[in-house]
Amino acid sequence: MSDTKEKLSAITIALHWLVSITIISLIAVGVYMTDYEVYALYPIHKSVGMLLFLVILVRVIWRLKQGWPEAASNYKAWEQRLSRIVHWVLIIATVTLPISGMLMSGLGGYGLAIFGLELLAATPNPDEMGKMIPINGPIAGAAHEVHEIAGKVIFAAIVLHLCGALKHHFIDKDGTLKRMLGKRIS
Ligand code: HEM
Ligand code: HEM
């Protein structure tokens, strides 16, 4: 059950696609709900983000235990270095986003719940309808900044990552993308 140059393990492939598709959806929903103030989407974004955090932790532990998979073909030195940097940025950002999200919401007084299952109660302000009494305003504010910045960083890294995957598939015509789709390559 480990990754080889010819074939990636089912665990690596399942974790990659589960995390990547959910993250891309969370970014889209996150930007949409904040830009258009669609507050009904906030609890869904938060619930899915917290559930995904559990999968992200499994993935990070799996990656740290396994090390990075060997490149699928003879990458040039700069390609190897750039892809390794981008993979680290992606992995670190996937951990930073849910943690900062939970700190921003939890310490901001908005509470934490996974599809109605309350983990931390909200602390509404009795004097101001719709406002919360923060548990720790400064840390919640800093976490908000981090969440926004990490969202932009991961977006940029995903664009680079996607360009790399497409370049390997269509220009170099190597097995990089096929291997991540579960195929055995030579
Ligand atoms: C990997 C998981 C996550 C990703 C990729 C993600 C991504 C994003 C993005 C891109 C935004 C829009 C940022 C902006 O332009 O203002 C956003 C907003 C937000 N996220 Fe997340 N998020 C994740 C997890 C979470 C979690 C776990 C929580 C809380 C439990 C959370 C709470 C929020 C809140 C409250 C906002 C709105 C902030 C505002 O109103 O300015 N997020 N998220
Ligand atoms: C947009 C669609 C995506 C495509 C087509 C794609 C494709 C790939 C491919 C082909 C590889 C193998 C690279 C190699 O063997 O060197 C890979 C690895 C990787 N991808 Fe993606 N990816 C996508 C989205 C994402 C997203 C959104 C994330 C993170 C949030 C991500 C994180 C990673 C990481 C960390 C690796 C290193 C191997 C591993 O840990 O599984 N990818 N991706």
Side-chain angles (χ1 to χ4, degrees):
M1 245 309 156
S2 51
D3 300 318
T4 65
K5 192 170 167 143
E6 290 75 34
K7 193 155 173 46
L8 294 177
S9 63
I11 297 182
T12 289
I13 294 170
L15 289 172
H16 176 270
W17 292 114
L18 179 59
V19 172
S20 56
I21 291 166
T22 316
I23 289 262
I24 291 170
S25 316
L26 282 169
I27 298 171
V29 170
V31 171
Y32 177 79
M33 72 187 195
T34 41
D35 279 4
Y36 294 98
E37 299 183 0
V38 188
Y39 296 115
L41 286 174
Y42 276 51
I44 298 171
H45 176 89
K46 289 161 66 173
S47 301
V48 174
M50 282 192 281
L51 284 177
L52 186 69
F53 184 44
L54 301 175
V55 183
I56 288 171
L57 288 180
V58 172
R59 179 171 191 216
V60 172
I61 294 166
W62 172 252
R63 186 52 60 234
L64 292 178
K65 268 185 69 182
Q66 290 269 318
W68 296 103
E70 200 185 330
S73 76
N74 298 322
Y75 284 23
K76 295 183 196 79
W78 69 267
E79 286 180 312
Q80 196 124 17
R81 223 172 301 129
L82 183 60
S83 75
R84 188 57 48 84
I85 295 170
V86 174
H87 291 163
W88 271 113
V89 172
L90 289 168
I91 288 276
I92 293 170
T94 54
V95 176
T96 310
L97 275 154
I99 292 179
S100 57
M102 287 186 282
L103 288 174
M104 138 173 64
S105 295
L107 298 180
Y110 292 90
L112 293 173
I114 299 180
F115 292 113
L117 173 71
E118 189 171 86
L119 307 177
L120 178 72
T123 47
N125 188 336
D127 301 326
E128 258 186 291
M129 263 280 284
K131 293 266 181 214
M132 303 292 156
I133 300 173
I135 296 171
N136 188 322
I139 296 186
H144 193 164
E145 287 280 312
V146 169
H147 200 71
E148 248 187 76
I149 295 168
K152 294 195 170 100
V153 169
I154 203 171
F155 181 76
I158 292 171
V159 171
L160 259 176
H161 184 64
L162 185 59
C163 290
L166 296 177
K167 170 194 176 280
H168 281 283
H169 191 70
F170 290 110
I171 299 177
D172 302 336
K173 298 192 184 347
D174 63 26
T176 303
L177 181 58
K178 284 192 197 137
R179 193 177 64 158
M180 192 45 101
L181 290 168
K183 300 216 171 71
R184 177 177 289 279
I185 58 165
S186 50

